[in-house]
Amino acid sequence: MRRKRIIITSVLVAVIGVAAPLSLAFYLSSVRAEQGEQERLRLLAGYALERAHRSIASASMALRSADALELAPCSEAHVQQLRRITITTRSIDDIGYVENGLLKCTSNGIEDERIAITPADFKLDNGMGLDFNLRPVVSGGKRMVGLSYRAHKVLIDPVRFSDVIVDNDIQMAVAIGKGGVLDTLHHPDPALVNTLLAGTGAKGELAHEDSIHAMLYRDGLTAVMIEPRSKLSERLRREQLLLLPLGLLMAAFIVGIVVWLSRRRLSLRGELETAVERREFFVHYQPIIALDTGVCVGAEALIRWRRPDGSMIRPDLFIPVAEDAELILPITDQVIDCVIADMRAALLADRELHIAINLCASDIETGRVLDVLERALAGTGIEAQQIWLEATERGFINVEAARATIEKARARGHAVAIDDFGTGYSSLSSLQNLPLDALKIDKSFVDTIGTDAATSSVTPHIIAMARTLNMLIVAEGIETQQQADYLLERKVEFGQGWLFAKALPAAEFLTFYRARRAPSST
């Protein structure tokens, strides 16, 4: 069943691993194509705004030049100057003088008719007035834009505001404010233009089902660019040609990883079953040091697995598989046998020496291992108090069952420690309800000593809690003298880590132990 489950899961992950990168590639292609096209539209909008600003600036300069004339209004000299300004200013078509609300004269001379000039539709920041929809007689009824300053007013052909070269299927509008359209190009939908102008936001771009819109705002003017979404097809193909191969490579990589991991996990389980039958496991010993004296008081037994070909498999790889496959119990039994075979003479010679054996959650919950230990120790002369039992916090989830096992273990003489404290499920309340002898501070907390890490303040709290519960403390993963000094200053009894020694084969540990044993044991 487990093999079938792994295969099904692997197939599903592989399918997702193919679909996800390809879907992402298609999605990113679409996004990049649309963003690229909008960027092009914004560039064109920039050209339109630059043209419109130049037209307004040129017309404004003409108005200020006319206003600065020190000539009798509508005199022959004044009219000649207005004509000169009109001829030399390319952005305007005519200029006139207004008096008492009536057009008195233009660059063409005195006006015979009484033409009323209404107030401007819009006021620019520079004080100029703007009319969006003038249809003067002089233009033959054609729509003109008016720009006025004090007594003078110019007429501007709206095409001056949209005089840019764009594709025929790109529509454009140049506006001032949220509704004052100065001119359009290629006949955009007025309702759509007004809607876009009314909704102009910080992004300056909107998406639509049938078209792409880009807007650019600058110094009071807004350029709106509208393009059919069908124009994206060519750019989209280019993006897909770029991204789809990457998506395929990523999909192939993911599938390869899934296949590799699946085969490895399946084969590892099979190898583990064989390894248990062939008793391929052995033990290394991580010395435990009394921090105040430097004496080696014991060791933690750590499982190791060497394949028949001589290659080593890391415990963090095979132990989870062994737990899933329910092979961890016979492996624990082999660890007990190895400890007795390796350490019996040393344990008999020094009754202060102890070896700590790690237990799985199942053994803590059921207490099975205690009978295994009792049978293994029978007739060896090794005392129960020389074998410590360690369990990670996961083993204490079922507090009632764990308490029963711990009480039975202690009654037989074993000390019981909680391993890797702070990384699992235990709480202060659960610890208070468990008759533990020792607490092991996880390496992840020891690593923060002397640093500014967020968890650096946790270590002293763990120490204080252990003190409150009258528990011995063993600090794991000590690698620097600074860490050792910090722990010793806080009266932590024991430590282990590479500062003292790495996990050693049995013979090397015994040599290390003899060099670091207490004088009274010599």
Side-chain angles (χ1 to χ4, degrees):
M1 285 297 294
R2 181 178 178 276
R3 183 181 183 87
K4 183 177 179 180
R5 186 170 64 250
I6 291 175
I7 293 174
I8 292 174
T9 302
S10 300
V11 171
L12 290 176
V13 173
V15 170
I16 295 172
V18 172
L22 293 180
S23 299
L24 181 62
F26 277 108
Y27 171 74
L28 291 179
S29 297
S30 176
V31 170
R32 283 171 57 89
E34 186 160 330
Q35 288 178 344
E37 198 62 23
Q38 284 180 330
E39 188 62 35
R40 187 174 79 93
L41 292 178
R42 280 194 293 271
L43 183 63
L44 294 174
Y47 294 150
L49 288 182
E50 184 179 353
R51 182 71 177 87
H53 277 298
R54 283 206 305 265
S55 296
I56 291 177
S58 177
S60 299
M61 186 177 298
L63 283 171
R64 293 187 185 279
S65 297
D67 183 67
L69 294 174
E70 297 181 354
L71 299 171
C74 293
S75 63
E76 183 178 350
H78 183 234
V79 171
Q80 288 179 352
Q81 288 299 317
L82 293 182
R83 188 176 297 121
R84 182 187 61 80
I85 291 173
T86 301
I87 293 172
T88 57
T89 306
R90 296 180 57 188
S91 62
I92 67 174
D93 290 87
D94 199 5
I95 185 170
Y97 177 81
V98 179
E99 188 176 90
N100 299 324
L102 297 174
L103 182 62
K104 187 174 180 181
C105 64
T106 69
S107 61
N108 294 314
I110 304 296
E111 286 292 328
D112 295 329
E113 298 182 19
R114 292 173 58 86
I115 301 175
I117 304 299
T118 58
D121 298 330
F122 191 84
K123 201 76 170 178
L124 300 179
D125 292 339
N126 61 5
M128 303 286 175
L130 187 68
D131 292 286
F132 298 106
N133 192 21
L134 296 180
R135 298 186 183 275
V137 176
V138 70
S139 69
K142 176 186 175 183
R143 174 180 171 269
M144 303 290 282
V145 173
L147 191 66
S148 58
Y149 182 68
R150 294 187 180 177
H152 291 86
K153 189 164 194 169
V154 298
L155 295 178
I156 306 173
D157 190 334
V159 75
R160 307 287 186 187
F161 302 106
S162 59
D163 188 14
V164 292
I165 300 174
V166 297
D167 297 341
N168 291 333
D169 47 9
I170 295 178
Q171 300 170 330
M172 183 181 75
V174 178
I176 191 164
K178 290 188 177 293
V181 176
L182 296 174
D183 194 31
T184 63
L185 187 64
H186 298 152
H187 312 294
D189 180 4
L192 177 57
V193 170
N194 289 331
T195 299
L196 295 175
L197 288 173
T200 301
K203 281 189 176 182
E205 58 189 48
L206 297 170
H208 190 269
E209 182 178 347
D210 301 319
S211 57
I212 303 171
H213 312 138
M215 290 185 290
L216 191 64
Y217 176 83
R218 187 184 300 159
D219 297 331
L221 293 182
T222 303
V224 179
M225 311 299 291
I226 304 171
E227 181 182 51
R229 190 168 288 275
S230 58
K231 289 283 289 183
L232 280 176
S233 57
E234 184 177 347
R235 185 183 288 269
L236 179 60
R237 281 194 297 271
R238 291 200 302 268
E239 294 294 343
Q240 288 175 344
L241 287 175
L242 174 66
L243 293 178
L244 280 180
L246 295 178
L248 288 171
L249 285 175
M250 186 179 295
F253 176 76
I254 292 174
V255 170
I257 291 294
V258 170
V259 171
W260 179 75
L261 289 175
S262 301
R263 292 179 62 183
R264 177 168 181 155
R265 190 164 179 83
L266 287 170
S267 62
L268 190 60
R269 182 181 186 277
E271 284 189 73
L272 269 174
E273 293 174 346
T274 303
V276 171
E277 294 174 359
R278 296 178 177 177
R279 302 183 69 85
E280 295 176 359
F281 300 96
F282 62 99
V283 174
H284 279 183
Y285 298 87
Q286 177 77 60
I288 300 174
I289 306 298
L291 295 180
D292 57 347
T293 64
V295 169
C296 178
V297 297
E300 179 182 0
L302 300 174
I303 187 68
R304 295 292 185 265
W305 176 23
R306 182 185 291 110
R307 283 170 164 160
D309 63 3
S311 62
M312 300 286 291
I313 306 298
R314 298 201 320 266
D316 61 328
L317 293 179
F318 73 80
I319 288 179
V321 177
E323 290 177 339
D324 290 344
E326 298 182 354
L327 294 171
I328 193 66
L329 301 183
I331 290 176
T332 299
D333 297 349
Q334 291 187 29
V335 170
I336 293 172
D337 293 341
C338 287
V339 167
I340 293 173
D342 293 338
M343 296 293 124
R344 179 180 178 182
L347 290 169
L348 293 178
D350 183 2
R351 293 298 180 180
E352 297 299 319
L353 179 67
H354 75 268
I355 303 296
I357 297 175
N358 291 293
L359 304 182
C360 65
S362 176
D363 270 330
I364 287 293
E365 188 169 336
T366 64
R368 178 206 69 94
V369 72
L370 299 181
D371 293 334
V372 174
L373 260 174
E374 189 174 44
R375 290 193 298 270
L377 294 177
T380 65
I382 300 172
E383 296 177 355
Q385 62 264 27
Q386 292 183 282
I387 303 298
W388 286 27
L389 305 179
E390 295 183 6
T392 60
E393 295 183 65
R394 192 155 56 95
F396 301 122
I397 296 176
N398 188 334
V399 176
E400 293 301 323
R403 183 192 297 113
T405 298
I406 294 171
E407 289 175 349
K408 187 176 180 180
R410 297 183 77 206
R412 295 185 181 186
H414 301 291
V416 182
I418 179 171
D419 195 13
D420 300 331
F421 180 76
T423 62
Y425 306 87
S426 293
S427 63
L428 178 59
S429 60
S430 63
L431 284 181
Q432 290 174 325
N433 293 325
L434 295 172
L436 295 165
D437 297 285
L439 180 151
K440 300 190 75 174
I441 303 175
D442 185 70
K443 180 182 185 300
S444 61
F445 296 110
V446 173
D447 286 342
T448 65
I449 293 174
T451 71
D452 295 326
T455 55
S456 61
S457 61
V458 175
T459 305
H461 290 295
I462 294 176
I463 295 172
M465 182 172 60
R467 290 276 172 264
T468 302
L469 298 175
N470 296 317
M471 296 166 65
L472 296 172
I473 305 173
V474 182
E476 297 179 298
I478 301 174
E479 296 182 352
T480 68
Q481 190 61 47
Q482 179 187 13
Q483 294 170 346
D485 293 340
Y486 175 96
L487 295 165
L488 179 61
E489 181 180 345
R490 285 155 181 78
K491 302 189 185 318
V492 172
E493 290 89 352
F494 307 112
Q496 55 187 114
W498 283 23
L499 177 65
F500 311 111
K502 63 181 181 179
L504 302 170
E508 293 181 26
F509 167 74
L510 290 173
T511 300
F512 175 89
Y513 155 71
R514 294 186 187 102
R516 299 287 290 265
R517 67 194 298 192
S520 60
S521 301
T522 57

